[in-house]
Amino acid sequence: MVMRHFPPKTGKAMNMSNKGGKKMIKSKWITNVIVAAALPLSMGYVLAQDTTKHPTSGAEIQYQAGGSPLANVEMYNDANTKAPMMSKAEFDQAREIYFQRCAGCHGVLRKGATGKALTPDKTIASGTEYLKVFIKYGSPAGMPNWGTSGELTDAQVDLMARYVQQTPPQPPEFSMKDMEATWKVIIPVAKRPTKKMNNFDISNIFSVTLRDSGEVALIDGGSKKIINIVKTGYAVHISRVSESGRYLFVIGRDARINLIDLWMPKPDNVAEIKIGLEARSVETSKYKGYEDKYAVAGAYWPPQFVIMDGDTLKPRKIVSTRGMDVNNEFHPEPRVASIVASKFHPEFVINAKETGKIMMVNYSDIANLKITTLDAAKFLHDGGMDSTGRYFLVAANASDKIAVVDTKEDKMTALINVGKVPHPGRGANFKHPKFGPVWATSDLGDEGISLIGTDPVKHKAQAWKVVSTLKGQGGGSLFIKTHPKSKNLWVDTPLNPDAKVSQSIAVFDINNLDKGFAVLPIAEWAGIGEGAKRIVQPEYNKAGDEVWFSVWSAKDKESAIVVVDDKTRKLKAVIKDKLLITPTGKFNINNTQHDIY
C-alpha cells in the first residue's frame, strides 16, 4: 500500500466541526456499510487500478451464522465470508485510521490511484501476514513504514491488515443543504477591518500546517515567532492566498475550509464551511475584475467541486465530477485533486484524479457554468505553473506522466513521460545553464528528478521534453523547491523508509547539476528527541535567502522547524514550541500568492 500525506493520530478524522456531521458519520455511514452492498451499482462492483478488469456483479449482505467466540462483542459482518473476523469496534477504529492515513492514495472506495487498489479481490489473496509486513516496514516506492516509524502499533498494523480485506464501506453524499448547515460567518464583512490593523509584514508570514492538532501556526518570517495558532480542519492539506493578499484559505482533509483575515490585529478565522467528508484543494479567483470574488474547493468525497463567495465562503454552486475517464470507462469516484486559478481567463483549472480529466471552469456566470474538459492521463494529482504563469504542469501519478495545459488557449500542450509516481508539490522553476527555463518534479517511486523544458519560444527544441534527469537520495519524495533568487534546488524524501534519507535533505547547485547533490542533516540540526523526524517541504521566505524545513515527528514527540541560510547552506535558526505539533506543509504568503516556486 502506498499511503502518504502526513500521518495523523487515530480517532480524530471523523470529529466534524458540527454535531450533526459527527452524528452522520457515526450512524449513517455505519448503516450504509450494511445497506450499500445490497444497492445496485453502489458497492457491488470493484474498480481496480488495472482497468482491464472491471467486475460488476453485486452481492447481498450475509451474516455469519452460529455463535461467536466473542460472545459479548458486537461483530462486524462482511458480505465476503473470506474476510478476516473483526468486531464492530475494530472496524470503526480501522475505518477512521484508513480515512486519516490511506484514503488519499488508495481512494475512499479503495479502488486505487497513487497507491494500488485495496479491494478484497486483491487483499484477501495477499493474506493478513503479508499485508502486516508491508504496512509495518513500507517500501522505497513511497509506502511509509507505518509500524517501524512508530506511527502505528503492532496491534494497529494487524487491525489495518484485516480491515483492507473487508468490503469497502461507502460514505454518504454531501449536498448543498449539508454544506449550508456547516457554514459559519464568524465576523461579518461589514465588521472586519477596512485596513491592515497590525504591524506584521503579512507577505512574509508562514502558514504552517500542524497536522495532528487540526491547526495552522501563523509564524512571522522575520522574528520567527508564532503570531497565532488558528483552529482549522483536521490535517490541513494546503494554504492558499487571495489575489489581494488579504485572505488566507486553508482546507483540511476533513473538507473543512477556514477563511483567515490577515488584516486583523491578530489574524484569525472569519468564516468556515465543510464542503464534503474528505478534501484536498482550495483556490481563489485571480482574473482581473474577479480578484477575491470567488473561492473554489474540490472534494475527494463526494467527488465534486464547490464554488463559494470569496469573502464569506457562502456556497453557490456544486458540480459533480463523476463520469467517464480518459479510456471512456465510467468511474464513480473521480476525486478533485489540485486546483489553480488562471490569470488569462476567469477560470479555475480543476483536476479530476481518477478520470484524468482537466476542467477549465469559467466562473464569469456561475449560474450558467461553461466548462471546457481536456483529456490528460490518470491519476491527476498535484502541480504548478511554469515561470510565465501561462502553462500548468500537473502530475498524473500512476501514469508516470506530467500533463501540460496552456491556460491561455485552454488546450492540452503535452503529455510527458517522467519517473515513477511523480509528486512535484507545485514543482520548481529555474533557468538551466544549458536548456534554459525548466520546471522540475521529484518522484515518490524512485530517486529520479525530471527537468522539463518550458520555453517554446527561445528554446523550442527543448520545450515540453525531459531535458535532464537527476538522481536524488531515493524514493519517497513529496516536494521540490527553489526560488528565483537562489542557485539551490532542494529535494525532500520524507516517505523513504531509510531514516538517514527521510531525516535529511538533498540540495543541488543549479549551476553545477552534474556534480550531484549534497546532503544536509536537518533532523540532527533540529536538536530534538526521539521520533520519526521526517524532513518535509522546503519553503523559502519572501526574500529568497532562507529555506524553512519541517522536522515532523508523531504527535507525542517533539517536532521543530529548521531554518537554513540559502547561500551558505548553514543552520540559521531552529523554531521550537510545544504548540508546534506535527508541523508539515509551510506556505509563505508572498510566494503562495504570486506562484513563486
Side-chain angles (χ1 to χ4, degrees):
M1 294 187 299
V2 181
M3 304 177 189
R4 67 173 174 78
H5 288 305
F6 313 148
K9 70 170 189 178
T10 61
K12 187 176 179 181
M14 301 306 161
N15 293 334
M16 303 303 182
S17 59
N18 62 305
K19 295 181 180 178
K22 183 175 182 179
K23 182 178 180 181
M24 175 175 62
I25 294 301
K26 295 299 184 183
S27 60
K28 184 176 179 182
W29 193 351
I30 292 300
T31 301
N32 281 359
V33 173
I34 300 174
V35 175
L39 297 178
L41 297 181
S42 60
M43 289 305 300
Y45 56 85
V46 175
L47 292 176
Q49 186 174 332
D50 178 2
T51 57
T52 62
K53 296 180 180 180
H54 287 170
T56 57
S57 61
E60 294 185 354
I61 282 292
Q62 302 174 24
Y63 290 93
Q64 296 183 26
S68 167
L70 304 175
N72 298 319
V73 178
E74 184 179 2
M75 299 303 295
Y76 170 77
N77 297 284
D78 195 82
N80 191 331
T81 57
K82 295 181 180 180
M85 291 182 62
M86 297 189 78
S87 70
K88 182 177 179 295
E90 286 180 320
F91 184 89
D92 290 347
Q93 180 189 3
R95 188 195 65 233
E96 295 191 6
I97 295 174
Y98 182 85
F99 173 85
Q100 297 162 5
R101 290 177 166 85
C102 319
C105 277
H106 300 283
V108 172
L109 303 182
R110 304 214 304 264
K111 292 178 173 60
T114 303
K116 294 180 179 180
L118 297 177
T119 44
D121 61 312
K122 298 178 180 296
T123 54
I124 290 176
S126 295
T128 300
E129 292 306 313
Y130 171 85
L131 293 169
K132 284 167 62 175
V133 171
F134 203 47
I135 295 170
K136 181 172 182 175
Y137 294 100
S139 77
M143 169 70 176
N145 51 326
W146 295 110
T148 56
S149 69
E151 299 295 341
L152 293 180
T153 65
D154 284 346
Q156 289 172 326
V157 168
D158 175 77
L159 184 71
M160 296 312 298
R162 287 183 287 132
Y163 173 78
V164 296
Q165 297 176 70
Q166 314 294 320
T167 301
Q170 179 167 327
E173 302 296 319
F174 208 80
S175 67
M176 179 67 79
K177 184 178 180 180
D178 294 323
M179 290 183 201
E180 290 174 341
T182 70
W183 175 49
K184 299 177 184 177
V185 178
I186 300 166
I187 301 179
V189 175
K191 294 185 178 181
R192 296 176 195 169
T194 57
K195 62 181 180 179
K196 188 165 84 79
M197 300 297 290
N198 57 61
N199 295 321
F200 302 117
D201 179 1
I202 289 176
S203 60
N204 200 32
I205 289 176
F206 287 75
S207 176
V208 180
T209 298
L210 305 182
R211 195 193 192 286
D212 289 1
S213 65
E215 299 166 324
V216 294
L218 302 181
I219 302 180
D220 178 52
S223 68
K224 313 293 189 296
K225 294 182 179 179
I226 296 174
I227 296 170
N228 196 16
I229 302 291
V230 182
K231 290 292 182 182
T232 61
Y234 174 73
V236 166
H237 191 65
I238 60 171
S239 298
R240 291 292 180 260
V241 182
S242 66
E243 180 67 8
S244 68
R246 173 177 182 172
Y247 289 114
L248 177 67
F249 297 76
V250 296
I251 188 165
R253 291 184 64 164
D254 60 357
R256 174 177 163 183
I257 304 171
N258 288 82
L259 179 62
I260 299 170
D261 187 352
L262 298 174
W263 281 10
M264 295 172 64
K266 179 185 284 187
D268 210 336
N269 287 317
V270 293
E272 67 177 51
I273 192 172
K274 275 179 55 64
I275 56 93
L277 300 179
E278 186 181 2
R280 294 295 187 278
S281 53
V282 67
E283 182 60 288
T284 69
S285 53
K286 295 185 176 181
Y287 185 67
K288 186 176 181 180
Y290 292 88
E291 299 93 334
D292 295 21
K293 184 173 183 179
Y294 293 121
V296 64
Y300 266 27
W301 189 271
Q304 61 193 27
F305 63 86
V306 184
I307 298 177
M308 302 158 283
D309 288 342
D311 56 358
T312 65
L313 301 181
K314 179 179 176 63
R316 295 292 187 181
K317 189 83 169 184
I318 303 174
V319 179
S320 173
T321 57
R322 290 181 172 101
M324 309 305 287
D325 66 16
V326 292
N327 297 322
N328 293 314
E329 297 175 349
F330 179 77
H331 202 290
E333 192 190 355
R335 299 172 291 171
V336 176
S338 53
I339 303 175
V340 297
S342 171
K343 292 192 176 183
F344 291 92
H345 304 285
E347 290 179 342
F348 294 121
V349 184
I350 297 178
N351 300 273
K353 183 185 290 284
E354 279 73 14
T355 57
K357 302 276 188 175
I358 299 175
M359 293 161 281
M360 316 296 286
V361 180
N362 190 302
Y363 52 74
S364 59
D365 181 2
I366 62 172
N368 301 282
L369 281 180
K370 295 180 179 178
I371 302 177
T372 300
T373 303
L374 311 179
D375 283 357
K378 301 192 299 183
F379 293 78
L380 296 172
H381 190 62
D382 54 350
M385 309 300 291
D386 79 314
S387 59
T388 69
R390 173 173 174 172
Y391 297 95
F392 174 62
L393 296 94
V394 58
N397 288 146
S399 297
D400 301 335
K401 297 179 185 295
I402 296 294
V404 184
V405 177
D406 184 341
T407 64
K408 183 176 181 179
E409 299 294 334
D410 281 4
K411 293 181 179 179
M412 283 293 302
T413 297
L415 277 174
I416 305 166
N417 292 320
V418 291
K420 188 176 181 181
V421 194
H423 192 287
R426 305 198 83 180
N429 289 300
F430 61 93
K431 189 168 290 187
H432 192 282
K434 180 178 179 181
F435 302 115
V438 297
W439 178 91
T441 179
S442 53
D443 300 332
L444 266 168
D446 61 30
E447 72 278 9
I449 300 158
S450 300
L451 310 185
I452 297 171
T454 60
D455 181 6
V457 179
K458 295 182 179 180
H459 297 81
K460 188 175 181 178
Q462 289 79 36
W464 318 127
K465 299 176 182 177
V466 175
V467 297
S468 179
T469 300
L470 308 177
K471 183 177 180 180
Q473 288 201 84
S477 176
L478 292 179
F479 299 100
I480 185 169
K481 186 74 68 172
T482 189
H483 189 278
K485 296 181 180 179
S486 174
K487 297 302 180 183
N488 289 322
L489 177 67
W490 305 86
V491 185
D492 71 11
T493 43
L495 298 188
N496 193 289
D498 185 338
K500 291 182 179 180
V501 177
S502 65
Q503 293 181 7
S504 60
I505 195 78
V507 56
F508 293 82
D509 180 347
I510 289 173
N511 291 326
N512 296 281
L513 293 169
D514 293 339
K515 290 186 176 181
F517 58 86
V519 177
L520 302 187
I522 302 297
E524 179 183 324
W525 288 354
I528 59 179
E530 294 182 353
K533 294 182 284 191
R534 296 186 178 100
I535 308 307
V536 64
Q537 199 189 40
E539 175 69 321
Y540 278 85
N541 63 345
K542 176 183 177 181
D545 57 10
E546 292 177 355
V547 192
W548 292 33
F549 301 92
S550 294
V551 184
W552 157 43
S553 287
K555 185 176 181 178
D556 61 346
K557 304 294 183 181
E558 186 179 18
S559 294
I561 295 173
V562 169
V563 181
V564 174
D565 184 294
D566 183 68
K567 185 176 181 179
T568 65
R569 300 181 181 176
K570 301 295 184 182
L571 175 65
K572 188 171 184 179
V574 178
I575 304 173
K576 296 182 183 180
D577 195 292
K578 64 180 181 180
L579 297 177
L580 290 180
I581 300 170
T582 58
T584 51
K586 300 167 299 304
F587 303 88
N588 177 268
I589 297 299
N590 178 74
N591 297 342
T592 304
Q593 178 186 1
H594 298 292
D595 292 315
I596 297 173
Y597 36 79

